[in-house]
Amino acid sequence: MSDGDTILVVGGAGYIGSHCLHELRRRGFKTLCYDNLSEGHRAACGETPLIVGSLNEEEKLDRLFAEHQVRAVFHFAANCYVGESVENPEKYYFNNVASTLVLLRAMRRAEVKRFIFSSTAATFGNPVRERIDESHPQEPINPYGRTKLMIEQILRDYGPAYGFSYCILRYFNAAGAVEGGAIGEDHDPETHLIPLVLKAAMGQRPDIKIFGTDYDTPDGTCVRDYIHILDLADAHIRGLEYLEKGGASTAFNLGNGSGYSVQQVIDTVEKVTGKAVVRSAAPRRAGDPAVLVADYKKASEVLGWKPRFGDLETIVRTAWEWASGHPEGYQDR
Ligand code: UFG
């Protein structure tokens, strides 16, 4: 097994990957980013060296592994829009599943065997109980969730067969940004609630459409578990340290363990920004469960992880620092 010194962050120019790079650097890890920049942003990589390439470029990957002593791979490169995955599943099966197989094959050749995999609450499908722990059935209801579950299953086979050790990290609703807003969330198109409400607060959108006001929740709108992006980054690093101490390959659910409704998110944005946001009731969005909240007990017991930036105001405030400082995002398109 490689005793390398470098953490290779695949998809490190994207939202979650770039915050992981930031946190890794802050803690003194040597980092390298591999990203095709199809969704990510060069500026998001900060001081980390970036190799621009796609996961289908096997020779480039082989060269990378030959030239760098890679200690572990954090894999974030994936398409992540539920709706798009329904309309164009081929894109998702190729980019999320086939490409990951190519990456794992290159890792095998280079004998790099530690893998931190970015998975999602979307692998669970419709919740059958209020708090979702790791034993909750995994029955994804869209191609995006299925692609992530497929990689989870592939890892379970590859682990014992090829000596891989891995952590699967299933995120609930990633949100927020680093303090000071040097990097943040910039998707095109943006579909996520918090950045969209912030755009409405800045006057870049006339209103925020609330997808469903008749759910069986306290105020009728969907409840989600928003988790600060740096808490996610912390869990990735703890996952790596856990594997390096000989921890068995496994999966963790990562959320705050408390849910906020769409209305509560908008209220919080109004409070943090001091700006009024126009709310318009809209039909339910297909595939949205009413409530999605994580049970993160396992991450807490095994990794010693707990959310440090858990309250919604901190999450929204940091997202606002980024959005208000970069109203047009990274401006590199
Ligand atoms: N919402 C609105 N209006 C908007 C956008 C979102 O009302 O303009 C609502 C959604 O209906 C949902 C909530 O706000 O109830 C959060 O929506 P997001 O799109 O921000 O996040 P999701 O919960 O849909 O998605 C997240 C991740 C996905 C992952 C999914 C798992 O971002 O990658 O959880 O279910 F697949």
Side-chain angles (χ1 to χ4, degrees), residues 160-177:
Y162 304 131
F164 277 116
S165 63
Y166 58 83
C167 278
I168 291 163
L169 302 180
R170 303 188 190 115
Y171 321 143
F172 282 64
N173 288 59

Side-chain angles (χ1 to χ4, degrees), residues 76-195:
F76 299 95
N79 296 116
C80 66
Y81 295 120
V82 169
E84 185 188 50
S85 80
V86 175
E87 283 152 28
N88 188 5
E90 183 184 81
K91 176 175 175 182
Y92 281 72
Y93 287 108
F94 267 93
N95 291 350
N96 293 5
V97 182
S99 296
T100 302
L101 292 180
V102 178
L103 172 63
L104 291 169
R105 188 160 60 193
M107 287 176 62
R108 273 189 73 202
R109 278 196 294 270
E111 295 193 42
V112 173
K113 297 197 169 170
R114 290 190 198 101
F115 194 64
I116 309 289
F117 178 59
S118 167
S119 190
T120 169
T123 59
F124 293 111
N126 285 320
V128 296
R129 50 181 181 264
E130 184 116 313
R131 291 244 170 326
I132 301 180
D133 66 4
E134 291 75 5
S135 70
H136 187 284
Q138 286 185 289
E139 289 169 10
I141 54 173
N142 53 60
Y144 167 64
R146 278 190 278 280
T147 63
K148 291 287 184 176
L149 180 58
M150 281 177 190
I151 298 299
E152 292 195 9
Q153 289 164 334
I154 287 165
L155 287 173
R156 281 191 198 101
D157 290 335
Y158 276 31
Y162 304 131
F164 277 116
S165 63
Y166 58 83
C167 278
I168 291 163
L169 302 180
R170 303 188 190 115
Y171 321 143
F172 282 64
N173 288 59
V178 293
E179 290 282 345
I183 55 173
E185 188 165 10
D186 179 8
H187 292 117
D188 183 25
E190 188 55 78
T191 63
H192 293 119
L193 180 66
I194 291 177

Side-chain angles (χ1 to χ4, degrees), residues 80 82 120-122 144 173 191-193 196 208-211 222 224 226 262 285 288 292:
C80 66
V82 169
T120 169
Y144 167 64
N173 288 59
T191 63
H192 293 119
L193 180 66
L196 287 177
I208 184 79
K209 306 249 178 308
I210 300 180
F211 298 145
C222 284
R224 292 290 179 274
Y226 297 89
V262 174
R285 192 173 63 175
D288 268 346
L292 263 185

Side-chain angles (χ1 to χ4, degrees), residues 8 23 45 60-61 70 95 114 124 127 174 183 188 201 258 270-271 283 306:
L8 174 64
E23 194 59 18
C45 303
K60 203 180 254 189
L61 283 173
V70 176
N95 291 350
R114 290 190 198 101
F124 293 111
I183 55 173
D188 183 25
S258 48
E270 289 187 328
K271 183 170 173 206
K306 65 173 182 354

Side-chain angles (χ1 to χ4, degrees), residues 158-304:
Y158 276 31
Y162 304 131
F164 277 116
S165 63
Y166 58 83
C167 278
I168 291 163
L169 302 180
R170 303 188 190 115
Y171 321 143
F172 282 64
N173 288 59
V178 293
E179 290 282 345
I183 55 173
E185 188 165 10
D186 179 8
H187 292 117
D188 183 25
E190 188 55 78
T191 63
H192 293 119
L193 180 66
I194 291 177
L196 287 177
V197 184
L198 292 173
K199 282 182 195 295
M202 286 190 287
Q204 292 182 345
R205 302 168 61 87
D207 60 2
I208 184 79
K209 306 249 178 308
I210 300 180
F211 298 145
T213 52
D214 57 351
Y215 284 99
D216 185 16
T217 57
D219 65 20
T221 66
C222 284
V223 169
R224 292 290 179 274
D225 182 334
Y226 297 89
I227 168 86
H228 195 280
I229 193 89
L230 289 182
D231 283 328
L232 286 184
D234 178 41
H236 286 72
I237 297 170
R238 285 173 188 267
L240 168 68
E241 289 166 347
Y242 160 81
L243 292 180
E244 289 187 335
K245 280 191 218 125
S249 297
T250 191
F252 299 101
N253 291 359
L254 299 176
N256 266 315
S258 48
Y260 293 96
S261 72
V262 174
Q263 296 280 23
Q264 285 176 306
V265 169
I266 303 171
D267 291 344
T268 308
V269 167
E270 289 187 328
K271 183 170 173 206
V272 166
T273 64
K275 295 171 193 296
V277 173
V278 179
R279 308 167 196 217
S280 317
R284 290 182 176 197
R285 192 173 63 175
D288 268 346
V291 180
L292 263 185
V293 179
D295 177 336
Y296 67 84
K297 189 158 160 256
K298 180 174 170 188
S300 151
E301 285 174 1
V302 178
L303 302 179

